[in-house]
Amino acid sequence: MQDGKKVIISLRDVTREFNTGDGKLEALKAISLDIYEGEFVAILGESGCGKTTVLNIMGGMDHLTNGTMILDGKDFSHPSPDELTAYRRNYIGFVFQDYHLMPNLTALENVNFIAELSPNSMPAEEAIEMVGLSDRKNNYPSQMSGGQQQRVSIARALCKHPRLILADEPTAALDYNTSIEVLQVFEDIVKRNQTTVVMVTHNNEISKMANRIVKIKDGQIDEIITNPSPTPAALLSW
């Protein structure tokens, strides 16, 4: 527990190895980390340090080689295919650098497509409203800016009522002003919905808005910093 908050995901001594032509590459080296409900966590590090691998393991997009991953008290280190599908569909919301919107569907239809797959989803209209795009709900991706498309992808993740939203460099393709708009959406999600957000970034400035900053270096946790006074997204500057 942290300030009375429940642990959602607990990683213990997690390693991830990849086979290469020259042998094995150890992308993660005995990572141990707890993620708590209702917090904003930034995973910070240089390219190739292992931060995205951590995110993918937590999201069921990749599997650990050794160690354990506990989800809400259940051992999820080696899930069955059915367990993995249900976990990704009902438990996790993903936001990537690329928006992955379906070009032939409107913003509302893109969100509704995901909402229909989840048994406990909120109405797509509500999710669109939460990211401030009600006036754009009938637009197609080609009729929206990059920031607006990314907000649709956030609405798509949010509509499932996920326990955890995982964001991998969600502002990397956006300019500064648009990045701030997108970050304010994440900020509001954490504050208003008490939804846990884990965001991978290489931007030190963005990490200032997190409750905790996890620095990864060479496949290991180098430092975990608790931030008692997160910086509002509107005050970030780079």
Side-chain angles (χ1 to χ4, degrees):
M1 303 286 283
Q2 182 189 62
D3 297 329
K5 292 185 176 181
K6 179 183 177 182
V7 174
I8 295 178
I9 290 186
S10 181
L11 304 178
R12 286 294 177 271
D13 297 319
V14 167
T15 66
R16 179 64 172 108
E17 296 176 352
F18 295 95
N19 291 318
T20 68
D22 299 321
K24 289 185 177 180
L25 171 66
E26 197 173 29
L28 297 181
K29 305 169 184 176
I31 292 279
S32 292
L33 177 65
D34 290 331
I35 302 296
Y36 298 88
E37 63 182 4
E39 69 169 346
F40 193 143
V41 178
I43 300 181
L44 189 68
E46 299 296 326
S47 296
C49 71
K51 59 186 186 295
T52 293
T53 303
V54 173
L55 201 75
N56 287 342
I57 287 174
M58 288 194 293
M61 303 287 284
D62 197 0
H63 62 276
L64 55 83
T65 303
N66 294 297
T68 59
M69 181 167 72
I70 307 298
L71 307 171
D72 279 339
K74 179 183 177 182
D75 192 326
F76 209 78
S77 306
H78 303 285
S80 69
D82 286 346
E83 288 175 327
L84 199 57
T85 297
Y87 171 66
R88 288 193 297 241
R89 177 179 294 169
N90 303 326
Y91 196 96
I92 298 292
F94 293 99
V95 181
F96 301 101
Q97 179 177 336
D98 297 320
Y99 318 127
H100 298 297
L101 301 182
M102 287 170 277
N104 59 328
L105 299 182
T106 65
L108 185 63
E109 290 168 341
N110 263 281
V111 176
N112 195 54
F113 179 81
I114 298 300
E116 289 179 345
L117 297 176
S118 178
N120 300 309
S121 62
M122 70 175 69
E125 291 254 13
E126 183 179 339
I128 284 286
E129 182 180 358
M130 288 179 69
V131 300
L133 284 179
S134 292
D135 61 336
R136 295 283 188 169
K137 66 182 181 182
N138 294 319
N139 286 37
Y140 291 93
S142 62
Q143 299 171 314
M144 294 184 286
S145 67
Q148 289 166 346
Q149 291 183 65
Q150 189 62 293
R151 281 192 274 164
V152 173
S153 71
I154 296 171
R156 198 170 50 180
L158 190 61
C159 74
K160 300 191 295 181
H161 285 301
R163 292 279 282 132
L164 184 65
I165 289 181
L166 302 176
D168 191 1
E169 300 278 10
T171 63
L174 305 176
D175 61 32
Y176 168 74
N177 289 328
T178 306
S179 294
I180 296 300
E181 291 175 4
V182 168
L183 291 172
Q184 286 175 312
V185 173
F186 281 109
E187 183 177 59
D188 190 52
I189 287 170
V190 175
K191 289 180 178 179
R192 186 166 65 173
N193 290 50
Q194 284 297 294
T195 301
T196 300
V197 171
V198 179
M199 182 182 294
V200 159
T201 182
H202 66 277
N203 188 327
N204 277 289
E205 188 69 12
I206 290 176
S207 72
K208 293 178 182 178
M209 65 182 288
N211 301 111
R212 284 192 302 150
I213 302 163
V214 179
K215 294 186 176 182
I216 295 182
K217 183 177 181 181
D218 191 28
Q220 298 174 298
I221 292 180
D222 187 52
E223 186 179 13
I224 298 178
I225 301 169
T226 299
N227 183 10
S229 301
T231 302
L235 299 182
L236 299 178
S237 177
W238 66 85

